Amino acid sequence: MAWEPLPLPVDQDQIITTILTGIATAIPGWVPIEGAPEVALAEEIGVQLAAVNAAAVAAANYAAAGVAAAFGFEPIEGTKAVLQDVTLTAQLPPSAGTAAFSRAVTVPAGFTITIGGQPFIVPKQVTRVAAFTQVTAGDFTGYWRGIITADFAAYEAGDEWNIGAAGDVASIQTVSPVIIAATLTAPASGGEGAETLTAFLSRFTAWLATLKPGGVRAADLAAFAATVPGVRRALALDRYDPENPGTPADRTVTIIPIDAAGGDLASFEVDRLRTEIESIREVGFIVHIIDPVRTPVTVDVTVTVAVGGDVTAVQSAVATAVEAALSPAAWGSGGDPAAWAETTTLRTLDVALVVANVPDVAAIGAITLNGDTADVTLTGPGALIDATVEVTAS
């Protein structure tokens, strides 16, 4: 199953415990006594509710599986986090040489390390050349050591595998006569859980709405683009030709897609989106796909912290709030993470409204955009902001 099932409890013991805990909370001093009418009733409710929930989860899974099979509309599977360029220390016995030398070191597929108890493996065999030098002090004096790097993938998909930090020493789980240490050069990243069943069905609903077939409005194609894996939201411009932007072009639509973080799509994701659009577009329509235009903006904010407030915490909170509001993932969304309306003006008032809602901000001293109090006009199409935020708090 590629999606996460409905989050309904199906363990009857868990449900019964939850019910009994709720009764004890509502009635101080009450304790469950086996055989008491209320306990027996809670147990029966737990058994029946577990059965109903299990049936609901199964029915939803069958329905979603039918959607995927009948329409070829697949759920977005989770991705595994990756530890890139893990530093591996290789050690050879004193007999390996008499002077510094280079030698190939092989790390077999399945070689496993753990970080915080989470296993990461080498997906396929890696062979790299290491320069070996002799250890001159300590217990391993006379041995030869060299360094190579290898990428490791999490054992399972999910964002909970995005762990670790540069410099962390991993535990080696696979016995090796050569590799004696593994050190992270960066935290694990890229792990995402499979989309939930409700998210899958929401995407499917949006996809169905575009089947005209293919949609004839720019909004249809924007909605369709957002159902393609890798695309979080998209802006579609009717009659816009990027090669001749000043002249409206009939039967032409330009789509500007971004990912969940507001970043440009990778080339393979653009190719996938183009293939999907070509499969459903109306005959005679020309569809272009371009990246958004990002305008660098330096935002300087000065605030006064309320009495009793933590100056450092408020300073950090203001910066975080402004960065989130102006981020490519949120700009032009109007609060709906799936929506995108072209917004080409950043006003100081926009920033002020965000800052004013941060707890413990007593007053706003000044807000400047690129060193000025004037509003900033953003370049389009697909105008997004590359913000640098500086906050002074006192």
Side-chain angles (χ1 to χ4, degrees), residues 234-327:
L235 180 69
L237 306 176
D238 191 28
R239 305 182 70 201
Y240 181 85
D241 181 353
E243 296 181 0
N244 191 12
T247 304
D250 291 338
R251 303 179 70 80
T252 299
V253 174
T254 291
I255 296 176
I256 307 174
I258 55 177
D259 62 20
D264 298 347
L265 266 58
S267 58
F268 77 91
E269 292 173 318
V270 173
D271 291 341
R272 178 169 56 195
L273 175 59
R274 180 174 287 107
T275 297
E276 293 294 330
I277 289 176
E278 285 297 317
S279 70
I280 58 93
R281 70 173 176 83
E282 185 174 326
V283 175
F285 259 70
I286 298 173
V287 180
H288 301 280
I289 301 175
I290 63 174
D291 292 330
V293 179
R294 303 169 191 274
T295 301
V297 179
T298 299
V299 182
D300 289 287
V301 180
T302 301
V303 298
T304 300
V305 179
V307 176
D310 185 311
V311 173
T312 301
V314 171
Q315 185 177 26
S316 176
V318 170
T320 299
V322 174
E323 288 168 356
L326 305 187
S327 72

Side-chain angles (χ1 to χ4, degrees), residues 4 15 18 22 36 126 146 150 163 168 171 203 209 219 231 260 347 360 387 389:
E4 292 291 335
I15 296 173
T18 300
V126 174
I163 59 176
D168 284 355
S171 297
R203 281 198 312 119
V231 181
R347 300 174 175 84
D360 287 335
V389 180

Side-chain angles (χ1 to χ4, degrees), residues 29 53 92-93 97 105 108 126 141 150 184 324 388 393:
N53 286 353
L92 297 175
V105 176
V126 174
T141 298
L184 274 57
T388 300

